[in-house]
Amino acid sequence: MRHAIWLAAFWLAGSAGAQEAAIGYVKNVSGEASVITAGKSAKAAVGTPVQQGSVLRTGPKSSLGVVFKDETVMSFGPDTELSVDDYLYQPGQGKLKLGSKLAKGSLNYVSGVIAKLQPEAVSVATPAGIIGVRGTHFAVRVEEE
Amino acid sequence: MRFSSFCAVDRKTLGRGLLAGLLALALSACGGKSYVVLLENPDGSTGKIVVKGAKGEQSVSVAGQGVPNDGSAPPAAIPQAQIERDFGAALAAQPKLPVRFLLYFQSAGVALTGESQALLPKILEEVSQRPAPDVSVIGHTDTVGKAEMNEALALKRAEAIAALLKDKGLKVHALSVESHGERNLLVATPDETAEPKNRRVEISIR
């Protein structure tokens, strides 16, 4: 019984999230790319929503572009994997955070409103360290050992 | 420490003016395989990144300079050819940058100023130029009146603008209509201050 309640709660939270919690959208894809949200993988296409916790992946010879609600722009080269671990964009309440992690590949990053309003709330983690973003454009590459 | 000695040699050879190709090769060894490079902002300015890794902390504030992701070496120039090789595909995939418009109101109501009214066609055009356009219409007030009243007024303004844009043929992939009331001022003021610049609707087009 307890299990059933938990499952129902989980399912409700999940379905509500799918409707409301798009934090950005895929804007362009070339080759093979996917958006993995809550363990479910969807082929990335123009308009595919990205949510907090989503993992963005590109295959060989592929690329992907995403624009987030706060106007942060990210684009990815081939063989890339990035997870959007934290995303909070409620300027009215001062709730701002954008934490992502580049596991491998190449990322081009143009920071948005969150970095403008609260620079210390924006970071990109890599396997070797963490990049703090002070309102700017940069590119980062992670090559697997 | 092999990393830093590599870099020291590179700087010397750089001073002697080696062939550009060799230079790019040498500097790529200096930059390492996993690195971050600061680029010029779209508006021509340059910001800053701070890299904290297991092997050190570095900050970069010059466009075109980079550091290893582990923070093990100070900023060094990354040759354009290397940036193109390592990031060409990612840079080419950069979506059209978002734009933001500010619309202003005549007084306490929901009627736009003439200048703002004239921006509407430009807004529709910007939306139509983007794949899967994602638009936010965000209402704001000044600090005259109670916060709850302003929250409601700002939402009314945002809804009025969203309706106006729809009437004019706005087509979007996603639209959000929001109110920030008096909590997100453009011009900071004390409470109970009339400020026309704060009575606005922001349109964020992505």
Side-chain angles (χ1 to χ4, degrees):
Chain A
M1 184 60 201
R2 196 178 279 170
H3 275 301
I5 291 168
W6 269 112
L7 274 174
F10 199 64
W11 180 80
L12 282 171
S15 60
Q19 285 298 309
E20 293 161 24
I23 59 170
Y25 292 93
V26 169
K27 292 293 185 167
N28 51 269
V29 187
S30 104
E32 290 289 320
S34 53
V35 179
I36 301 129
T37 302
K40 274 191 180 172
S41 179
K43 193 170 163 17
V46 172
T48 302
V50 174
Q51 290 168 43
Q52 173 166 285
S54 288
V55 177
L56 308 170
R57 251 186 220 154
T58 60
K61 294 180 184 169
S62 301
S63 66
L64 176 71
V66 173
V67 179
F68 292 85
K69 287 271 169 207
D70 76 304
E71 301 176 8
T72 297
V73 174
M74 293 189 203
S75 54
F76 311 93
D79 301 308
T80 297
E81 181 178 319
L82 176 127
S83 55
V84 188
D85 299 324
D86 293 296
Y87 193 92
L88 264 178
Y89 181 50
Q90 292 167 289
Q93 281 85 43
K95 291 182 185 163
L96 301 161
K97 194 165 170 71
L98 174 45
S100 57
K101 186 160 64 220
L102 182 67
K104 60 172 184 167
S106 55
L107 160 68
N108 167 48
Y109 194 111
V110 183
S111 66
V113 177
I114 298 175
K116 215 169 281 172
L117 295 177
Q118 206 173 313
E120 66 281 6
V122 181
S123 65
V124 179
T126 68
I130 187 156
I131 302 162
V133 183
R134 308 290 184 259
T136 196
H137 181 198
F138 65 94
V140 54
R141 180 172 187 86
V142 171
E143 266 187 37
E144 290 171 300
E145 295 297 309
Chain B
M1 276 299 57
R2 210 191 68 185
F3 196 91
S4 53
S5 66
F6 238 127
C7 284
V9 171
D10 291 342
R11 292 214 184 89
K12 272 183 217 153
T13 54
L14 192 141
R16 287 173 200 154
L18 253 172
L19 286 169
L22 265 179
L23 192 66
L25 203 66
L27 278 169
S28 77
C30 175
K33 284 183 170 176
S34 292
Y35 68 102
V36 52
V37 57
L38 185 64
L39 301 169
E40 191 175 85
N41 286 330
D43 68 3
S45 66
T46 300
K48 186 174 135 181
I49 48 176
V50 179
V51 178
K52 284 180 195 164
K55 295 182 180 168
E57 181 172 335
Q58 307 289 345
S59 90
V60 188
S61 51
V62 177
Q65 290 195 349
V67 294
N69 288 344
D70 61 9
S72 60
I78 308 294
Q80 195 55 45
Q82 184 189 340
I83 293 174
E84 185 48 42
R85 186 194 69 206
D86 288 343
F87 299 109
L91 289 166
Q94 180 177 301
K96 197 170 166 63
L97 294 171
V99 286
R100 186 168 279 242
F101 288 88
L102 294 181
L103 300 177
Y104 290 98
F105 296 86
Q106 286 177 12
S107 60
V110 297
L112 286 174
T113 62
E115 231 170 52
S116 291
Q117 186 78 30
L119 281 175
L120 299 178
K122 179 76 183 145
I123 289 171
L124 293 171
E125 193 194 323
E126 284 285 351
V127 172
S128 72
Q129 285 171 357
R130 285 169 167 72
D134 173 24
V135 175
S136 299
V137 180
I138 308 158
H140 302 267
T141 65
D142 59 21
T143 57
V144 175
K146 283 196 171 152
E148 308 84 69
M149 299 273 290
N150 282 332
E151 175 111 32
L153 174 60
L155 187 61
K156 219 167 107 186
R157 281 182 180 151
E159 281 168 348
I161 299 304
L164 188 60
L165 288 169
K166 279 183 201 161
D167 276 354
K168 290 186 177 288
L170 178 75
K171 284 197 182 67
V172 295
H173 181 66
L175 176 71
S176 67
V177 181
E178 302 166 34
S179 169
H180 287 177
E182 60 172 50
R183 296 160 308 173
N184 191 4
L185 302 174
L186 188 66
V187 178
T189 72
D191 200 11
E192 296 301 329
T193 307
E195 172 52 68
K197 282 208 166 70
N198 285 335
R199 293 196 290 263
R200 70 204 193 273
V201 164
E202 289 181 343
I203 316 269
S204 164
I205 301 170
R206 303 175 295 267

